[in-house]
Amino acid sequence: MRIGIFGAGGMAEALGGQWTAAGHEVMVAARDRAKAAAISARVGTWAEAAAASEVILLAVPADAVTEVVAAAGNLAGKVLIDCTNAVGPGAVLTIPDQAARIALAAGDAHVVKAFNLCHVDVWRMTPPAFGGRPLAVPLCGPPEAVGVVSSLVRDIGCTPLNAGGLDRARLMEAIMAFMVGLWFDGHDAQACFPPLPA
């Protein structure tokens, strides 16, 4: 699959590296071209990466996403993966309903919220698994786009979970803010989600 990555930070490097290792063609666009080149030999502008890709990972700061999407030009038919988290001091959402906001800015693109619930170091694991169980990755978005992103989730050794339409992405964003607050306060947030009794 041809994957564009907008951004050159930790999430871009971690997921881009995993997808490259899985045999996908990755092209990176970022303001810092040297950092982009460290992720992939294929580097371009926002518009070049968008035109060359079927799927685009939005891995830029949350408050810059709509600006970057606008600079990318025509995104009609593209699958956009929103892994951003707009969480500020005090673990509050600074941009409510971020995925819906991206969908409005991206016109006829298909936005899927994914990969936003774990720290970047989890995405560097090969594969991300805990206690012998592959990490489950919730996906919120239109069914066909969720199907495309599900294959990318499997390619890094995780289990995709269809968590509903894009209207449910706001719940994932709120969960992230809530969990970050627990972690920062020193609580074992994972203990909030024990497995169901047999």
Side-chain angles (χ1 to χ4, degrees):
M1 194 177 297
R2 298 186 313 277
I3 303 171
I5 296 181
F6 288 1
M11 288 295 285
E13 172 265 319
L15 290 170
Q18 293 274 26
W19 290 329
T20 298
H24 296 287
E25 296 177 38
V26 173
M27 184 175 197
V28 180
R31 289 191 174 98
D32 187 332
R33 291 181 73 87
K35 280 188 176 180
I39 296 170
S40 173
R42 298 182 65 222
V43 175
T45 65
W46 309 119
E48 289 167 344
S53 305
E54 303 159 83
V55 176
I56 299 166
L57 175 70
L58 302 173
V60 295
D63 58 359
V65 174
T66 54
E67 172 196 338
V68 169
V69 163
N74 183 8
L75 297 172
K78 307 286 183 181
V79 174
L80 306 185
I81 303 172
D82 170 26
C83 72
T84 65
N85 283 311
V87 180
V92 297
L93 289 173
T94 57
I95 304 173
D97 230 354
Q98 169 78 330
R101 182 173 166 256
I102 292 168
L104 281 174
D108 293 326
H110 309 291
V111 177
V112 176
K113 187 78 179 188
F115 302 108
N116 73 309
L117 295 180
C118 293
H119 189 274
V120 65
D121 288 339
V122 171
W123 305 118
R124 292 186 175 112
M125 297 170 65
T126 308
F130 298 88
R133 292 186 339 187
L135 179 69
V137 181
L139 310 171
C140 291
E144 281 189 24
V146 165
V148 171
V149 179
S150 292
S151 70
L152 296 175
V153 169
R154 288 187 198 95
D155 285 344
I156 63 173
C158 297
T159 302
L161 298 179
N162 185 338
L166 196 62
D167 60 314
R168 295 181 57 81
R170 71 172 73 86
L171 301 175
M172 283 175 57
E173 294 164 359
I175 287 169
M176 179 58 189
F178 180 73
M179 299 305 278
V180 163
L182 291 177
W183 286 318
F184 283 167
D185 287 344
H187 300 293
D188 178 7
Q190 187 179 12
C192 294
F193 301 99
L196 292 173

